[in-house]
Amino acid sequence: MYLYQNDVYLCKCYKIVPYNSSKAERTEADEESMTNQSKEVAKFDKFIKDGKEWLPKVKIIEKTKDYNMLEPETVDVTPDSSSCNKPTPIDKLLDDYDPEYYAQLAIEQM
């Protein structure tokens, strides 16, 4: 399976085949499965490690103001009563909603 995002190829997905980790019970198929999965993990780890170099370095900004000296300000955020009775966009959508229409539409699209 191939993964794409916005028409850009990302990677190929492989089926994860379970294997016995016990050496006494391990078969050749288990060895092959374990080797293939280890290779994929190593490729992913390298991709992540190499990707860290692309990240910009953290820049420390000098402290410009002492915020500890400021007095906190109390702000009233209680809504006024006039705005509580106004219809909202969801109210408008619910007014236009016809459940019978959408039920019939769903049946027609089966």
Side-chain angles (χ1 to χ4, degrees), residues 2-110:
Y2 300 94
L3 293 181
Y4 290 86
Q5 183 174 8
N6 298 330
D7 296 328
V8 176
Y9 172 77
L10 296 177
C11 64
K12 181 177 180 181
C13 293
Y14 298 94
K15 181 177 181 182
I16 297 176
V17 180
Y19 57 85
N20 274 321
S21 57
S22 169
K23 286 187 176 183
E25 298 175 359
R26 198 177 298 161
T27 64
E28 267 187 49
D30 292 328
E31 288 282 346
E32 184 179 347
S33 177
M34 187 170 60
T35 302
N36 290 339
Q37 289 182 40
S38 295
K39 287 179 184 177
E40 288 301 314
V41 169
K43 277 195 254 180
F44 178 78
D45 289 345
K46 181 181 180 328
F47 174 76
I48 295 300
K49 183 180 174 187
D50 292 347
K52 287 181 183 176
E53 295 172 7
W54 301 340
L55 295 173
K57 300 295 179 204
V58 174
K59 181 178 179 181
I60 299 174
I61 301 173
E62 293 294 323
K63 187 176 178 182
T64 57
K65 189 172 184 178
D66 187 7
Y67 290 102
N68 294 328
M69 301 298 290
L70 295 176
E71 289 295 320
E73 179 183 353
T74 304
V75 179
D76 182 23
V77 292
T78 307
D80 60 15
S81 60
S82 65
S83 66
C84 293
N85 296 327
K86 291 182 181 176
T88 62
I90 192 71
D91 293 330
K92 174 71 173 127
L93 288 173
L94 289 174
D95 288 342
D96 295 341
Y97 178 70
D98 179 10
E100 292 172 6
Y101 166 77
Y102 286 104
Q104 182 61 37
L105 184 64
I107 291 170
E108 290 172 2
Q109 292 180 351
M110 286 184 165

